[in-house]
Amino acid sequence: ALATPADTMLAARSTVCPAAAASVRGLKRGSAASRRPALRVSRPARASLPGRAESKTNDVAKLFALLPACLSAATAFAARAVEAVDDYPTMYVPEGYVPSPLDDGDGVAQLVVLAFCAVCGFVGMKLSLDSEQVKSEEALAEKVAKQVAAMRAAPSGPVPGTPVASLAEDAAAATTKFDNEGLLRLDAAVSPETAAALLAEVNATLARELERASGGGGLPSDAFGNVYCKGNRYDLKLPWGGVAEKALREAAVNMRPFLERAAGGRKARLCEFAALVSDPGSKRQPVHPDTNYRRDRCVVTSFVALQDVDSDMGPTVFIPGSHTASAHLAFREAGETGGAALAAPHGVATLGSGDATVFDSRLLHCGGGNASDKRRVLFYFSFEVEGSDNPNSAVSTIREELRGKVTLGDLLAA
């Protein structure tokens, strides 16, 4: 008969030698005796010390005497447990059973089953991801709807412009306005001819990059940045050289008196160099800052229209003055769907070709939905304020070969 685990444990217990048991009983008696109350006799306190030390010595000796017996019992228990496990069958096998040999088709059948399971797993994962994306888009659309409702009663109008040529005469006034509102519109930042040439280059670059991405795998990160509401909207990183570089240099020279003040000097580094493309049917973005609130300005961004931007093309909406701590706090406390920040007056950036809006990256803003039949393209560039800490410097929209390599002074020196 096979030994059960219970039999093994009983047998192991029986291996404790009588001497060990006697030692344990003696130790218990000694311990019990030591707990009895001592008689009070008239003798010096020191006379009791030798007796106590002797009692402790005897207890320790008994414990050491017990160790061999305990080790012997543990060894016997382990040996019997191993024997019991080895003897106990893991499954019932009928007498005379012989496995049948593999057929030629067994391997193919297993591969078919494996492939079927893999396909089912992939399809399930794809459906799960698609479902999560749909839920995310629905939540974003609900958020935008609540923001639009909260902003509907707020005063609104076109962002007022300042000719870029006026900066040469009074750049200080433009800088003060920018400090207070976090927003400045500069008309004719680049010429209409430069804007038209850059528009053609952006369209050609976008077509080339979309063709490269048509093989699957999504938009390549070396050519596209991340942007809210990607459907019919692209954040295209521009290559250095050609019309894009020419337009950047032209805008930097024209805006120099202001940029040197707002960006902290000529050592300000170019951290974004791209184009925002909004095709017909693109959705309105949620109101957001490009940089969460921090005490000091860290990035100055310029949007330059490469064609006229009409009200139905989804012009950018800005909330002047919302780059402050109080505005960000009100925005967050209202769940980013209401409150004082969204009830404040906001400006709509309807622009002429070559006009620019310059804003503090902490400013609340959003791209509008393009309800027209025309593509809206904004050329944009950003400078990190000299001496500031830009939390998005590693992920900002610029080609890697340009990241941290170009300064405002480099553009003004040419």
Side-chain angles (χ1 to χ4, degrees):
L2 297 175
T4 65
D7 295 335
T8 303
M9 294 178 67
L10 291 174
R13 291 178 57 188
S14 67
T15 60
V16 181
C17 64
S23 298
V24 173
R25 287 193 296 271
L27 180 60
K28 288 182 178 179
R29 284 196 300 271
S31 300
S34 66
R35 291 193 297 269
R36 295 170 186 166
L39 295 176
R40 298 183 179 274
V41 294
S42 57
R43 59 183 180 183
R46 289 187 178 182
S48 64
L49 292 178
R52 291 179 185 175
E54 182 180 354
S55 175
K56 291 181 180 180
T57 302
N58 291 338
D59 289 347
V60 172
K62 290 178 181 179
L63 285 174
F64 275 106
L66 186 61
L67 283 178
C70 293
L71 291 174
S72 177
T75 303
F77 176 79
R80 288 177 177 267
V82 171
E83 292 176 0
V85 171
D86 290 341
D87 293 339
Y88 197 78
T90 57
M91 63 175 292
Y92 173 72
V93 180
E95 187 176 355
Y97 170 78
V98 178
S100 60
L102 290 175
D103 294 332
D104 293 339
D106 286 349
V108 176
Q110 291 176 359
L111 287 176
V112 170
V113 172
L114 182 62
F116 177 76
C117 292
V119 170
C120 289
F122 175 79
V123 171
M125 182 175 65
K126 181 69 167 57
L127 291 175
S128 176
L129 291 175
D130 290 345
S131 176
E132 289 299 322
Q133 183 176 357
V134 169
K135 291 179 181 178
S136 176
E137 291 175 354
E138 290 176 349
L140 195 61
E142 182 180 359
K143 179 179 182 179
V144 169
K146 290 180 179 179
Q147 290 182 344
V148 170
M151 297 174 70
R152 186 171 292 124
S156 175
V159 177
T162 300
V164 73
S166 67
L167 295 176
E169 302 172 1
D170 195 4
T175 304
T176 300
K177 178 179 175 63
F178 185 77
D179 291 340
N180 294 334
E181 299 183 1
L183 177 68
L184 183 68
R185 171 176 167 173
L186 295 173
D187 293 340
V190 300
S191 68
E193 293 77 18
T194 299
L198 181 53
L199 177 61
E201 183 172 276
V202 168
N203 287 333
T205 303
L206 178 61
R208 184 171 60 252
E209 295 297 347
L210 290 177
E211 177 64 25
R212 183 163 70 98
S214 61
L219 301 178
S221 60
D222 63 336
F224 291 93
N226 195 18
V227 64
Y228 272 119
C229 303
K230 293 182 179 179
N232 293 353
R233 184 180 271 112
Y234 306 98
D235 190 8
L236 179 66
K237 299 177 182 180
L238 297 178
W240 193 249
V243 183
E245 180 185 349
K246 177 179 180 297
L248 175 61
R249 293 182 183 277
E250 181 180 332
V253 170
N254 290 339
M255 299 164 61
R256 179 192 60 79
F258 164 74
L259 285 178
E260 287 182 337
R261 290 173 171 82
R266 294 194 170 207
K267 292 183 179 179
R269 294 191 178 277
L270 182 71
C271 61
E272 289 184 307
F273 182 58
L276 283 172
V277 180
S278 176
D279 280 338
S282 61
K283 304 293 185 180
R284 178 185 172 115
Q285 295 177 319
V287 174
H288 65 278
D290 287 344
T291 305
N292 288 330
Y293 180 76
R294 53 194 52 238
R295 185 185 63 182
D296 299 320
R297 181 189 309 149
C298 60
V299 174
V300 176
T301 298
S302 300
F303 285 173
V304 181
L306 299 187
Q307 72 292 296
D308 292 348
V309 178
D310 301 323
S311 59
D312 61 348
M313 296 174 67
T316 309
V317 176
F318 296 98
I319 304 179
S322 61
H323 59 310
T324 61
S326 58
H328 277 243
L329 180 62
F331 186 56
R332 289 197 303 270
E333 287 183 341
E336 301 185 357
T337 58
L342 297 185
H346 55 271
V348 181
T350 48
L351 304 171
S353 180
D355 295 345
T357 49
V358 190
F359 63 98
D360 187 312
S361 64
R362 299 170 295 178
L363 193 74
L364 298 178
H365 66 283
C366 69
N370 190 346
S372 73
D373 58 356
K374 296 173 288 186
R375 168 177 284 181
R376 174 175 66 90
V377 181
L378 298 177
F379 165 52
Y380 77 98
F381 54 90
S382 301
F383 289 98
E384 292 179 355
V385 176
E386 183 182 353
S388 70
D389 177 25
N390 174 17
N392 302 319
S393 60
V395 295
S396 53
T397 309
I398 190 171
R399 296 196 176 231
E400 288 303 318
E401 63 268 22
L402 299 176
R403 192 179 301 278
K405 302 294 178 58
V406 181
T407 66
L408 177 59
D410 296 333
L411 299 173
L412 299 176

